[in-house]
Amino acid sequence: MSSFEAHFQHRQSAHCESGVMASLLSHAGLPMSEPMAFGLASGLAFAYLPIVKLSGMPLIAYRMPPKHLIKTLSKRLGARLNSRTFGNPEQGRRELDALLDQGRLAGLQSSVFWLPYFPPEMRFHFNAHNLLAFGRDGDQYLISDPVFEEPVRCASADLQKARFAKGALAAKGLMYWLDDVPQQQDWEKLIRQAVLGTTRILDGMPLPWIGIRGIQHLAKQVERLDPAQAKYNRLYLTHIVRMQEEIGTGGAGFRFMYASFLQEAGEKIGAAELGEASTRLTAIGDDWRQFASACVRASRSKGEAPDFRPIAEMLRGIAGQERALMKELGAWSKRKD
Amino acid sequence: MKLDEVPQDHSSTYGGHSKLVYAVDAEGHYQRAQSDGWEPEAYATQLAVAELEAQEAEAEAAWQRGELSPLKCLMYRYRLDEPALAQITGLWQWRIRRHFRPAIYRRLSAAILARYAEAFGLPVEQLIGYQKAPA
């Protein structure tokens, strides 16, 4: 193991993309926590997309789509993002090896299903997982997978299969790395810009499926569930829970991670308003967790048909609180003082 | 979520791993914390897995009875459904459904079977072997 590999620090993260970006930036000399990477890229969102189906269920996302964090964050920080996809898998492997042999870190997009180090029950066909390769040892790659506690190893044939898995969101071997990361940043400006971006995504889109309106839309769908379709209802409600909690979100569909960002950002630039917003978002996150528990309780209940109205009301309560919070954060981000 | 509320429900779905979550300490400061499981989340995961396993078992029984080709059973075993399999193989869904019929399956070319083999991560010889009617 070379000295370079020894000084790369693996850090466990809640979410893959923010974790990879935090590691890449920290390694390039700009210390960055995962919540900061997530918040500065305006990663928080909500979307209910009935047209995109995941095993017959609508896509429910609590964050911006894949690659948003990578692109937005590099742009805002003024770092140069290099990225490559490959038509020929063999070339993809050679270029990864060449980058690693130069002592560089390589961000990779891959499928979750074909990574052998994932526990079987966590494996599903999601092609937009992100991980870092930081070295090679014989036929194995040294991998810093952000959602794992420790670095892992992956045989080259397995990594190859995962990088070039076909299907929705196919990675086509996507490989990315950062150059010229400026060490000096105007944090005040960055934070205001990022917070404003998030308020616009959550409460400024003229579409009924995105942001606060998306949450209200989901409430309506939950309310309309037909009590006679017990099996479908169970799968539908637990599907929401899986989207919110299972797929590395740091708890409550990224709300806790974003609250952590608000706190850290507030301390960094001395803005007490952000600290207060963080406390409120933590409470909203707790409501999201309660909502998830209620979904599971309703799925479990045997015998008489569950009443979905209180669950829908919880969502409307959350939507109202997030809207109020976004209004205040929007006003703060535009204030000049 | 407070640090002492971070669930440690030892969920089997985590496969012995812990996930990172963000929670506040007694002073309201955010900290990184590990969770080795949360019961409601594990229930949701297990329900989804059980659903796939039930579909797989049903398709496998139908294959053994000679009513279906092995493709439907393998599709569920590798956590796929018809739209996902269609995207990966580049075949229309109606063609895939047609290939679920044993008589059609037995006549499939090695080239078509190779597409399925890649989707499932299996050697194509195995799928060719299944073309001989189950003994």
Side-chain angles (χ1 to χ4, degrees):
Chain A
M1 201 173 259
S2 76
S3 60
F4 164 77
E5 286 152 21
H7 84 239
F8 168 72
Q9 277 291 317
H10 171 78
R11 196 165 43 161
Q12 191 183 13
S13 312
H15 175 59
C16 60
E17 204 172 323
S18 45
V20 163
M21 282 311 279
S23 284
L24 279 177
L25 289 165
S26 301
H27 192 77
L30 183 66
M32 178 79 53
S33 70
E34 183 194 14
M36 270 314 248
F38 182 75
L40 287 178
S42 305
L44 193 71
F46 184 89
Y48 181 95
L49 301 173
I51 297 150
V52 187
K53 295 273 185 206
L54 291 177
S55 24
M57 294 288 168
L59 177 72
I60 301 169
Y62 291 78
R63 59 159 170 116
M64 294 299 282
K67 289 191 242 182
H68 170 90
L69 292 183
I70 300 170
K71 288 184 183 161
T72 311
L73 192 57
S74 327
K75 201 167 135 198
R76 287 189 178 157
L77 295 174
R80 190 149 59 86
L81 174 72
N82 304 285
S83 64
R84 295 282 316 267
T85 54
F86 305 94
N88 174 355
E90 189 47 35
Q91 193 195 351
R93 193 181 60 76
R94 277 199 308 270
E95 298 216 4
L96 170 62
D97 292 352
L99 196 68
L100 292 174
D101 292 346
Q102 289 167 33
R104 308 292 307 259
L105 295 180
L108 299 174
Q109 187 187 329
S110 82
S111 153
V112 170
F113 189 81
W114 298 107
L115 292 173
Y117 56 81
F118 264 84
E121 281 180 303
M122 281 192 202
R123 284 195 216 166
F124 54 104
H125 289 275
F126 175 63
N127 279 329
H129 183 59
N130 284 275
L131 48 87
L132 270 177
F134 64 95
R136 278 199 299 156
D137 183 11
D139 190 41
Q140 291 193 313
Y141 287 96
L142 309 177
I143 304 283
S144 162
D145 190 310
V147 300
F148 281 80
E149 301 98 318
E150 303 291 338
V152 290
R153 283 165 174 260
C154 184
S156 89
D158 293 326
L159 185 66
Q160 194 71 353
K161 178 107 187 148
R163 287 177 69 198
F164 291 94
K166 292 177 185 156
L169 298 172
K172 298 190 185 78
L174 176 69
M175 165 172 115
Y176 51 92
W177 64 99
L178 290 178
D179 276 325
D180 311 329
V181 178
Q183 317 283 303
Q184 297 301 320
Q185 299 285 345
D186 182 351
W187 295 106
E188 172 96 25
K189 185 174 150 244
L190 274 174
I191 290 165
R192 281 182 194 268
Q193 180 190 12
V195 168
L196 182 64
T198 293
T199 65
R200 285 189 174 147
I201 293 157
L202 270 176
D203 193 20
M205 291 280 180
L207 295 166
W209 311 288
I210 311 291
I212 311 292
R213 296 177 70 188
I215 303 174
Q216 290 164 341
H217 185 78
L218 177 62
K220 209 180 289 169
Q221 300 300 314
V222 169
E223 205 166 48
R224 277 193 197 149
L225 288 175
D226 173 6
Q229 304 282 330
K231 190 181 168 194
Y232 176 81
N233 297 344
R234 251 203 301 281
L235 288 171
Y236 184 84
L237 292 172
T238 53
H239 172 73
I240 306 173
V241 176
R242 294 180 67 205
M243 296 293 110
Q244 182 182 314
E245 301 293 339
E246 183 187 293
I247 308 162
T249 68
F254 295 97
R255 267 57 189 170
F256 292 141
M257 198 197 292
Y258 196 77
S260 176
F261 156 72
L262 288 175
Q263 185 175 70
E264 192 179 336
E267 282 165 12
K268 200 169 185 87
I269 60 171
E273 295 94 329
L274 292 186
E276 198 210 312
S278 166
T279 310
R280 282 172 58 191
L281 187 56
T282 305
I284 297 172
D286 289 335
D287 288 353
W288 277 109
R289 296 280 280 192
Q290 293 286 334
F291 159 74
S293 298
C295 284
V296 167
R297 263 199 310 280
S299 309
R300 270 211 176 102
S301 75
K302 297 214 165 72
E304 62 187 284
D307 184 2
F308 299 116
R309 278 170 308 181
I311 304 180
E313 277 316 305
M314 290 172 97
L315 276 176
R316 294 207 173 90
I318 289 169
Q321 291 183 70
E322 288 202 355
R323 172 161 281 161
L325 184 66
M326 288 306 130
K327 287 225 178 340
E328 284 176 31
L329 281 174
W332 171 82
S333 62
K334 283 181 228 161
R335 203 156 54 222
K336 289 198 169 61
D337 54 11
Chain B
M1 187 164 57
K2 300 207 170 62
L3 274 179
D4 55 12
E5 294 165 353
V6 172
Q8 307 293 348
D9 294 344
H10 317 303
S11 300
S12 66
T13 50
Y14 283 29
H17 290 279
S18 288
K19 282 188 193 175
L20 190 85
V21 295
Y22 291 89
V24 290
D25 62 18
E27 281 79 50
H29 250 96
Y30 263 96
Q31 307 284 349
R32 299 148 52 81
Q34 284 182 323
S35 164
D36 73 1
W38 189 37
E39 210 280 325
E41 178 198 329
Y43 174 83
T45 309
Q46 280 159 352
L47 196 72
V49 171
E51 172 71 9
L52 279 166
E53 283 172 352
Q55 286 169 321
E56 180 195 335
E58 198 181 309
E60 186 168 19
W63 169 29
Q64 298 306 329
R65 288 194 303 267
E67 293 163 13
L68 276 181
S69 79
L71 287 179
K72 194 165 184 176
C73 162
L74 293 171
M75 172 178 85
Y76 290 126
R77 183 174 298 165
Y78 292 97
R79 303 263 176 114
L80 293 161
D81 54 13
E82 285 166 23
L85 188 57
Q87 260 187 320
I88 295 176
T89 55
L91 298 166
W92 293 97
Q93 287 186 50
W94 64 264
R95 284 190 78 188
I96 291 177
R97 280 194 293 272
R98 199 164 159 271
H99 299 163
F100 289 164
R101 286 157 54 185
I104 306 287
Y105 180 80
R106 276 193 286 275
R107 293 203 303 268
L108 288 181
S109 68
I112 292 283
L113 288 178
R115 295 210 212 173
Y116 286 112
E118 198 203 340
F120 302 143
L122 294 173
V124 67
E125 291 74 22
Q126 194 175 334
L127 294 187
I128 292 172
Y130 292 146
Q131 285 185 311
K132 297 172 187 74

